[in-house]
Amino acid sequence: MVQYKNYYSDSEDKLIPTIDLGVPNTERGHCGKMEAIMKHATMDSDISNKKWLIIVDDDTILSVPRLRSLLACYDPSTMVAIGERYGYGTSSGLGYDYPTGGAGMILSMPLVKKLVSSGIAQCPSVDSPDDMMLGSWLKSQSVPLIHSHLLHQARPDDYPSEYLSHQIPISFHKHWMVDPYDVYRQWFKAADDQHRKTISQNGKDEL
């Protein structure tokens, strides 16, 4: 269902396949990798002409059809950033909002190009917190972060069942103490199956 996707790593594996960004793996923040992904997206002609750049962790589970429905509400030719909004120092009035990385960070391609070309997308260190740094970059460019409660930083079990019963989730994050296949089957498989059926009947599919 996703025609245009890349798997980024600190080493190349042609079987997956992964793209070596030349950035070492880190135990905590991944700002260096995010910066490299954004720069790679602007230089790769197969990516730079797309509408959106969506950065997710390797333990994020999401529904592409539901993500597509969300993105249909926004104009990708403008400066758009979407995520599950957290805040840093916002009570003081000097902080900023940022999109939690595990839930998925969604950026319109014009925004990615602006952050890269302006030199704003520069990490203090490779292990700086990627999502928080992105939030500070957005604030510096006066780009508001659009919050979606359908994107989730945590596992389904970490939320009250009553809370989830009133929404159609797009993503969950973390495989700790859960079977990711079970999470997919319970929350996303039906939507994906319906989407495949629709595509087989109508044809074109692109994201």
Side-chain angles (χ1 to χ4, degrees), residues 65-129:
R66 292 177 181 173
L67 176 60
R68 186 191 307 272
S69 296
L70 174 67
L71 296 183
C73 300
Y74 301 96
D75 182 358
S77 67
T78 62
M79 304 295 170
V80 181
I82 307 171
E84 183 183 27
R85 184 176 61 223
Y86 278 26
Y88 174 74
T90 54
S91 61
S92 68
L94 302 175
Y96 53 86
D97 296 329
Y98 65 92
T100 57
M105 300 182 290
I106 304 168
L107 308 173
S108 64
M109 195 56 70
L111 174 57
V112 176
K113 293 177 179 178
K114 179 179 181 180
L115 292 175
V116 171
S117 64
S118 65
I120 295 297
Q122 296 285 342
C123 298
S125 63
V126 294
D127 63 350
S128 296

Side-chain angles (χ1 to χ4, degrees), residues 23-26 29-34 123-130:
V23 179
N25 194 33
T26 54
H30 304 289
C31 191
K33 285 186 177 180
M34 178 185 68
C123 298
S125 63
V126 294
D127 63 350
S128 296
D130 48 337

Side-chain angles (χ1 to χ4, degrees), residues 129-141:
D130 48 337
D131 46 9
M132 295 181 71
M133 286 306 304
L134 177 57
S136 69
W137 298 344
L138 295 177
K139 181 178 181 180
S140 73
Q141 299 300 297

